[in-house]
Amino acid sequence: MSLVKVKHIVLVLSGKGGVGKSSITTQLALSLSLSGHSVGILDIDLTGPSIPRLFNIETSKVTQAPGGWIPVPVHTSDPASGIGSLSCMSLGFLLKERGDAVVWRGPKKTAMVRQFLTDVLWGDLDYLLIDTPPGTSDEHISLAETLLKNALPGQMAGAVVVTTPQSVSTADVKKELNFCAKTGINVIGVVENMSGFKTCLKLPAQSYLVRWSDSRKSSMAIEERFSKENEEFGELAMDDDSQQGNNTDGSDNSADEDYTHDSGD
């Protein structure tokens, strides 16, 4: 298995599409790399690979070597600056054009995921982040089965679950938490993405486009699904699902209405 030199494997999951899993994966990878850790990203979102575009390396190609594939480098390590190496593997590198559709049935997806897990030559890595598609389907089952069967003791760090504050999103994220419980994957924490925005960086209040109370109820409902030893990692802007929300201080943000609904005139 090509993961024998990887110290920690972290899955980025969500039951809902469009919540920003690839963006969170990118930010986690950059934060870890800039902290001096060697990081790899495995993008198993086979029908919608976003990682190559997020790192602006879409034109790069995977190199075939004896024993497997060499991942595409984003940047090399720089010990003098305290920066670790960062590399990626994605089906996006194997497509001729960005718009090429991947029309595969379940068995072929399963085979591709297993090949990514066994045939990519990562080398020594502190962290391997695995960006997943939404749901709990073929890719997730293949991923969980392969990792739980072949991972070394302590190698599977767990999963970061990504949601947005709307109840339609958190309802699907609860299903992902159930998937983690059934497969024995530890949930490290939850990120509530696109939670709000600030109209003025000098003021502490943050405006929520989803009502603050509804957002908190959704977050609390999710938090009940995993142990108190885990944590909610934080909130990231921005969301556009509601007409009106509340500020973090509890006040109504209707004064911000002209800003949030600016027609651009």
Side-chain angles (χ1 to χ4, degrees), residues 109-130:
K109 289 182 180 180
T110 298
M112 188 77 255
V113 171
R114 288 176 177 166
Q115 188 172 2
F116 274 158
L117 292 173
T118 57
D119 291 356
V120 180
L121 305 177
W122 292 107
D124 294 313
L125 284 184
D126 292 325
Y127 293 93
L128 176 64
L129 308 181
I130 302 182

Side-chain angles (χ1 to χ4, degrees), residues 28-29 32-33 37-41 84-87 125-129:
L28 284 174
L32 290 168
S33 176
H37 301 288
S38 55
V39 183
I41 298 178
S85 62
L86 176 57
S87 57
L125 284 184
D126 292 325
Y127 293 93
L128 176 64
L129 308 181

Side-chain angles (χ1 to χ4, degrees), residues 155-201:
Q155 192 178 34
M156 269 292 297
V160 174
V161 179
V162 184
T163 185
T164 52
Q166 311 96 317
S167 58
V168 69
S169 175
T170 57
D172 287 341
V173 172
K174 292 177 198 175
K175 299 175 185 177
E176 197 75 35
L177 294 173
N178 286 332
F179 170 82
C180 291
K182 289 179 179 180
T183 55
I185 297 174
N186 177 48
V187 178
I188 301 172
V190 174
V191 175
E192 185 182 87
N193 199 13
M194 310 179 198
S195 63
F197 69 95
K198 287 187 176 182
T199 57
C200 179
L201 296 179

Side-chain angles (χ1 to χ4, degrees), residues 28 37-38 58 62 81 116 142 157-158 162 166 186 210-211 214 217 219 223:
L28 284 174
H37 301 288
S38 55
E58 284 184 290
V62 175
S81 302
F116 274 158
S142 176
V162 184
Q166 311 96 317
N186 177 48
V210 173
R211 287 187 180 275
D214 292 341
K217 287 178 183 177
S219 294
E223 288 169 9

Side-chain angles (χ1 to χ4, degrees), residues 37 54 60 77 85 105 107 146 152 163 167 178 187 211 226 242 245 255:
H37 301 288
L54 288 173
S60 301
S77 62
S85 62
R105 295 186 184 274
T146 304
L152 301 174
T163 185
S167 58
N178 286 332
V187 178
R211 287 187 180 275
F226 62 96
S242 181

Side-chain angles (χ1 to χ4, degrees), residues 66-83:
W69 289 322
I70 298 176
V72 174
V74 176
H75 60 244
T76 58
S77 62
D78 185 358
S81 302
I83 298 176

Side-chain angles (χ1 to χ4, degrees), residues 26 35 75 162 235 258:
T26 299
S35 299
H75 60 244
V162 184
E235 303 169 348
D258 289 341

Side-chain angles (χ1 to χ4, degrees), residues 36-58:
H37 301 288
S38 55
V39 183
I41 298 178
L42 176 58
D43 182 4
I44 66 164
D45 190 346
L46 303 179
T47 58
S50 301
I51 293 298
R53 187 174 186 182
L54 288 173
F55 283 103
N56 196 28
I57 52 175
E58 284 184 290

